[in-house]
mmCIF file of all heavy atoms in Angstrom:
data_model
loop_
_atom_site.group_PDB
_atom_site.id
_atom_site.type_symbol
_atom_site.label_atom_id
_atom_site.label_comp_id
_atom_site.label_asym_id
_atom_site.label_seq_id
_atom_site.Cartn_x
_atom_site.Cartn_y
_atom_site.Cartn_z
ATOM 1 N N VAL A 85 66.811 98.568 92.914
ATOM 2 C CA VAL A 85 67.832 99.618 92.824
ATOM 3 C C VAL A 85 69.187 99.104 93.330
ATOM 4 O O VAL A 85 70.223 99.309 92.704
ATOM 5 C CB VAL A 85 67.392 100.869 93.603
ATOM 6 C CG1 VAL A 85 68.532 101.886 93.679
ATOM 7 C CG2 VAL A 85 66.177 101.502 92.939
ATOM 8 N N LEU A 86 69.172 98.426 94.484
ATOM 9 C CA LEU A 86 70.415 97.888 95.033
ATOM 10 C C LEU A 86 71.012 96.843 94.106
ATOM 11 O O LEU A 86 72.240 96.795 93.901
ATOM 12 C CB LEU A 86 70.149 97.275 96.408
ATOM 13 C CG LEU A 86 69.833 98.248 97.545
ATOM 14 C CD1 LEU A 86 69.464 97.482 98.808
ATOM 15 C CD2 LEU A 86 71.013 99.168 97.805
ATOM 16 N N SER A 87 70.169 96.014 93.508
ATOM 17 C CA SER A 87 70.675 95.002 92.581
ATOM 18 C C SER A 87 71.299 95.647 91.350
ATOM 19 O O SER A 87 72.337 95.190 90.857
ATOM 20 C CB SER A 87 69.538 94.070 92.178
ATOM 21 O OG SER A 87 69.981 93.109 91.234
ATOM 22 N N ALA A 88 70.676 96.724 90.852
ATOM 23 C CA ALA A 88 71.238 97.413 89.686
ATOM 24 C C ALA A 88 72.555 98.096 90.018
ATOM 25 O O ALA A 88 73.511 98.055 89.235
ATOM 26 C CB ALA A 88 70.233 98.425 89.149
ATOM 27 N N LEU A 89 72.634 98.728 91.197
ATOM 28 C CA LEU A 89 73.864 99.428 91.579
ATOM 29 C C LEU A 89 74.994 98.446 91.849
ATOM 30 O O LEU A 89 76.169 98.759 91.605
ATOM 31 C CB LEU A 89 73.618 100.281 92.820
ATOM 32 C CG LEU A 89 72.769 101.538 92.624
ATOM 33 C CD1 LEU A 89 72.484 102.191 93.962
ATOM 34 C CD2 LEU A 89 73.465 102.525 91.689
ATOM 35 N N ALA A 90 74.659 97.270 92.384
ATOM 36 C CA ALA A 90 75.693 96.290 92.715
ATOM 37 C C ALA A 90 76.161 95.497 91.510
ATOM 38 O O ALA A 90 76.999 94.599 91.657
ATOM 39 C CB ALA A 90 75.164 95.326 93.782
ATOM 40 N N ASN A 91 75.680 95.832 90.324
ATOM 41 C CA ASN A 91 76.068 95.115 89.115
ATOM 42 C C ASN A 91 77.545 95.347 88.824
ATOM 43 O O ASN A 91 78.012 96.494 88.757
ATOM 44 C CB ASN A 91 75.203 95.593 87.945
ATOM 45 C CG ASN A 91 75.485 94.831 86.679
ATOM 46 O OD1 ASN A 91 76.285 95.255 85.856
ATOM 47 N ND2 ASN A 91 74.829 93.689 86.508
ATOM 48 N N LEU A 92 78.290 94.261 88.639
ATOM 49 C CA LEU A 92 79.738 94.377 88.423
ATOM 50 C C LEU A 92 80.087 95.122 87.134
ATOM 51 O O LEU A 92 80.969 95.999 87.158
ATOM 52 C CB LEU A 92 80.374 92.985 88.434
ATOM 53 C CG LEU A 92 81.896 92.949 88.212
ATOM 54 C CD1 LEU A 92 82.616 93.757 89.284
ATOM 55 C CD2 LEU A 92 82.389 91.513 88.200
ATOM 56 N N PRO A 93 79.463 94.843 85.991
ATOM 57 C CA PRO A 93 79.793 95.624 84.785
ATOM 58 C C PRO A 93 79.548 97.116 84.961
ATOM 59 O O PRO A 93 80.323 97.936 84.436
ATOM 60 C CB PRO A 93 78.863 95.022 83.715
ATOM 61 C CG PRO A 93 78.607 93.632 84.189
ATOM 62 C CD PRO A 93 78.562 93.724 85.680
ATOM 63 N N LEU A 94 78.492 97.487 85.706
ATOM 64 C CA LEU A 94 78.250 98.905 85.951
ATOM 65 C C LEU A 94 79.386 99.518 86.761
ATOM 66 O O LEU A 94 79.873 100.616 86.447
ATOM 67 C CB LEU A 94 76.927 99.078 86.685
ATOM 68 C CG LEU A 94 76.591 100.516 87.130
ATOM 69 C CD1 LEU A 94 76.452 101.427 85.927
ATOM 70 C CD2 LEU A 94 75.328 100.544 87.978
ATOM 71 N N ALA A 95 79.814 98.827 87.825
ATOM 72 C CA ALA A 95 80.908 99.350 88.654
ATOM 73 C C ALA A 95 82.200 99.479 87.845
ATOM 74 O O ALA A 95 82.934 100.472 87.978
ATOM 75 C CB ALA A 95 81.122 98.451 89.866
ATOM 76 N N LEU A 96 82.487 98.494 87.016
ATOM 77 C CA LEU A 96 83.686 98.578 86.173
ATOM 78 C C LEU A 96 83.583 99.744 85.199
ATOM 79 O O LEU A 96 84.570 100.459 84.950
ATOM 80 C CB LEU A 96 83.891 97.266 85.421
ATOM 81 C CG LEU A 96 84.267 96.040 86.275
ATOM 82 C CD1 LEU A 96 84.344 94.791 85.411
ATOM 83 C CD2 LEU A 96 85.602 96.268 86.982
ATOM 84 N N GLY A 97 82.402 99.939 84.619
ATOM 85 C CA GLY A 97 82.216 101.076 83.724
ATOM 86 C C GLY A 97 82.418 102.400 84.427
ATOM 87 O O GLY A 97 83.011 103.337 83.869
ATOM 88 N N GLU A 98 81.941 102.497 85.664
ATOM 89 C CA GLU A 98 82.139 103.732 86.439
ATOM 90 C C GLU A 98 83.618 103.970 86.711
ATOM 91 O O GLU A 98 84.104 105.111 86.607
ATOM 92 C CB GLU A 98 81.366 103.635 87.753
ATOM 93 C CG GLU A 98 79.858 103.606 87.575
ATOM 94 C CD GLU A 98 79.131 103.082 88.802
ATOM 95 O OE1 GLU A 98 79.816 102.682 89.771
ATOM 96 O OE2 GLU A 98 77.891 103.071 88.787
ATOM 97 N N MET A 99 84.349 102.918 87.046
ATOM 98 C CA MET A 99 85.775 103.071 87.333
ATOM 99 C C MET A 99 86.540 103.482 86.079
ATOM 100 O O MET A 99 87.421 104.349 86.130
ATOM 101 C CB MET A 99 86.331 101.768 87.901
ATOM 102 C CG MET A 99 85.741 101.373 89.243
ATOM 103 S SD MET A 99 86.456 99.888 89.964
ATOM 104 C CE MET A 99 88.080 100.486 90.404
ATOM 105 N N PHE A 100 86.219 102.893 84.943
ATOM 106 C CA PHE A 100 86.885 103.277 83.698
ATOM 107 C C PHE A 100 86.521 104.712 83.307
ATOM 108 O O PHE A 100 87.362 105.444 82.769
ATOM 109 C CB PHE A 100 86.518 102.306 82.582
ATOM 110 C CG PHE A 100 87.316 101.031 82.600
ATOM 111 C CD1 PHE A 100 86.713 99.817 82.877
ATOM 112 C CD2 PHE A 100 88.689 101.047 82.349
ATOM 113 C CE1 PHE A 100 87.449 98.640 82.906
ATOM 114 C CE2 PHE A 100 89.436 99.880 82.374
ATOM 115 C CZ PHE A 100 88.813 98.676 82.650
ATOM 116 N N THR A 101 85.290 105.117 83.561
ATOM 117 C CA THR A 101 84.890 106.497 83.269
ATOM 118 C C THR A 101 85.675 107.483 84.121
ATOM 119 O O THR A 101 86.160 108.515 83.624
ATOM 120 C CB THR A 101 83.383 106.670 83.522
ATOM 121 O OG1 THR A 101 82.652 105.765 82.684
ATOM 122 C CG2 THR A 101 82.954 108.096 83.212
ATOM 123 N N ILE A 102 85.818 107.173 85.413
ATOM 124 C CA ILE A 102 86.592 108.047 86.298
ATOM 125 C C ILE A 102 88.050 108.107 85.855
ATOM 126 O O ILE A 102 88.670 109.181 85.829
ATOM 127 C CB ILE A 102 86.475 107.556 87.747
ATOM 128 C CG1 ILE A 102 85.043 107.752 88.254
ATOM 129 C CG2 ILE A 102 87.458 108.274 88.662
ATOM 130 C CD1 ILE A 102 84.785 107.152 89.614
#
Side-chain angles (χ1 to χ4, degrees):
V85 172
L86 290 175
S87 178
L89 288 174
N91 184 266
L92 180 59
L94 175 63
L96 292 176
E98 294 162 357
M99 296 183 70
F100 279 113
T101 301
I102 292 173

